[in-house]
């Protein structure tokens, strides 16, 4: 009997509402999101291709950048096509299990993105503070193990989200006021107690986000000390300019992440819900859109690689 009751409280599907309160503007909202997705897709796939084919880019910094690009393009592909179907064709229904898979992928990939940004900060630290030992410290096996550890950390911490959400009873309808299946947005549809979900979500945010931010902060503190100690102003500028692209990526990612997280946890009654939904989508889409542009503009080797690719063998790296 308890098994029957449990299965009767598990919905076959959910309805993703889109952006509540702005239904009439869904088409207009979709246009910038669609453009950003195209830019993210072309930019990140282009970066991965360029790094894999240009021997001059076969260095630890660019391997981490390729990992970030792979994570970003997978992350936005997990949500944007489904969101555009909601906006354009009113296809709002999503299977319960498909919703859980999307929820897992979104949170796992955002955790992975944070981890890769942390690894890139450590890469900057080694490059500036230990330049003579850079190649011997960050070998290919070390890079592979660091990437695998970041992936496994994210997977192991996010898997419980799926089981906690699947075990909740759903007797308050099927409507999720969002464009994709977010952990707490799905949990709040339940008629059960979601304190465990909220507490575990906060714990994961601390274990991933807070830990990564502490590592990034520590890395840049030591980088700043090393740069300031250089005698030449030109050397200081050259050393710190190697990190500017990474700093831009950190700012773009974490400002939106903080806003989304704190809105979910504490600002639900202060900030209009449609603002929260739009910013949550920007959090998943803006970093994948901007990272290839920032690194393409700010990084000389990538810019030269792009020109070489466009002009064939008429130009080489200097």
């Amino acid at each position: 009997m308890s098994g029957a009751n449990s299965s009767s409280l598990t919905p076959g599907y959910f309805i993703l509402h889109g952006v509540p309160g702005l239904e009439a503007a869904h088409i207009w909202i979709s246009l910038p999101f669609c453009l950003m997705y195209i830019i993210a897709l072309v930019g990140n796939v282009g970066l991965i291709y360029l790094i894999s084919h240009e021997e001059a880019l076969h260095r630890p910094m660019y391997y981490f950048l390729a990992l970030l690009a792979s994570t970003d393009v997978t992350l936005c592909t997990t949500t944007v096509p489904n969101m555009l179907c909601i906006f354009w064709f009113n296809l709002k229904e999503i299977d319960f299990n498909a919703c859980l898979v999307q929820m897992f992928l979104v949170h796992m990939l955002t955790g992975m993105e944070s981890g890769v940004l942390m690894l890139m900060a450590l890469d900057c630290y080694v490059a500036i503070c230990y330049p003579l030992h850079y190649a011997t410290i960050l070998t290919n096996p070390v890079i592979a193990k660091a990437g695998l550890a970041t992936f496994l950390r994210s997977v192991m911490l996010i898997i419980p989200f799926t089981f906690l959400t699947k075990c909740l009873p759903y007797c308050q309808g099927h409507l999720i006021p969002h464009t994709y299946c977010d952990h707490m947005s799905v949990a709040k549809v339940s008629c059960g107690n979601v304190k465990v979900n909220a507490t575990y979500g906060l714990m994961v945010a601390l274990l991933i986000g807070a830990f990564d931010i502490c590592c990034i902060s520590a890395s840049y503190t030591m980088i700043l000390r090393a740069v300031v100690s250089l005698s030449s102003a030109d050397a200081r500028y050259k050393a710190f300019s190697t990190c500017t692209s990474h700093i831009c990526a950190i700012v773009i990612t974490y400002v939106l992440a903080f806003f989304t997280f704190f809105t979910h946890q504490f600002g639900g009654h202060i900030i209009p819900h449609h603002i929260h939904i739009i910013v949550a989508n920007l959090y998943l889409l803006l970093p994948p859109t901007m990272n290839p542009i920032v690194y393409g503009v700010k990084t000389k080797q990538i810019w030269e690689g792009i020109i070489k690719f466009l002009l064939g063998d008429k130009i080489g790296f200097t």
Side-chain angles (χ1 to χ4, degrees), residues 56 300-301 304-305 308 315-318:
K300 180 184 176 184
Q301 290 86 345
E304 289 177 337
K308 184 179 178 181
I315 186 170
F317 288 102
T318 56

Side-chain angles (χ1 to χ4, degrees), residues 93-314:
E93 185 175 310
I94 183 170
D95 180 77
F96 178 72
N97 290 319
C99 183
L100 295 181
V101 170
Q102 185 186 57
M103 180 188 72
F104 168 77
L105 289 174
V106 166
H107 291 287
M108 186 273 288
L109 290 166
T110 51
M112 182 75 180
E113 182 179 48
S114 177
V116 175
L117 288 173
M118 181 264 292
L119 293 178
M120 294 174 80
L122 296 177
D123 170 74
C124 288
Y125 163 68
V126 175
I128 291 174
C129 297
Y130 301 97
L132 298 179
H133 303 286
Y134 181 71
T136 55
I137 293 174
L138 291 177
T139 61
N140 287 347
V142 169
I143 293 168
K145 289 174 184 176
L148 180 61
T150 304
F151 172 75
L152 291 176
R153 178 193 70 165
S154 190
V155 169
M156 297 306 294
L157 287 173
I158 299 304
I159 279 179
F161 278 166
T162 308
F163 294 105
L164 287 172
T165 307
K166 191 176 180 67
C167 292
L168 289 171
Y170 295 89
C171 51
Q172 298 184 147
H174 306 275
L175 186 64
I176 299 174
H178 214 304
T179 57
Y180 62 88
C181 292
D182 170 79
H183 172 229
M184 287 310 298
S185 295
V186 176
K188 287 176 182 177
V189 178
S190 165
C191 53
N193 190 333
V194 298
K195 285 184 178 179
V196 174
N197 296 67
T199 302
Y200 185 73
L202 183 60
M203 186 182 78
V204 170
L206 292 174
L207 289 174
I208 293 180
F211 175 79
D212 291 346
I213 290 170
C214 287
C215 290
I216 291 169
S217 300
S219 296
Y220 273 102
T221 299
M222 291 182 282
I223 287 170
L224 194 59
R225 289 175 59 185
V227 170
V228 169
S229 67
L230 295 174
S231 57
S232 166
D234 184 60
R236 287 196 294 268
Y237 172 78
K238 186 176 180 181
F240 201 71
S241 65
T242 60
C243 300
T244 54
S245 299
H246 183 245
I247 292 170
C248 291
I250 289 171
V251 171
I252 292 168
T253 301
Y254 282 110
V255 167
L256 293 170
F258 282 140
F259 183 91
T260 302
F261 174 76
F262 285 113
T263 300
H264 249 318
Q265 295 292 328
F266 312 110
H269 302 294
I270 301 172
I271 299 171
H273 192 61
H274 63 271
I275 298 295
H276 166 66
I277 300 300
I278 291 172
V279 174
N281 281 279
L282 286 174
Y283 166 51
L284 300 185
L285 193 50
L286 191 61
T289 303
M290 294 303 299
N291 287 342
I293 297 173
V294 169
Y295 277 94
V297 171
K298 293 281 187 181
T299 309
K300 180 184 176 184
Q301 290 86 345
I302 292 177
W303 183 240
E304 289 177 337
I306 294 170
I307 295 173
K308 184 179 178 181
F309 173 75
L310 294 175
L311 300 180
D313 294 324
K314 297 178 183 178

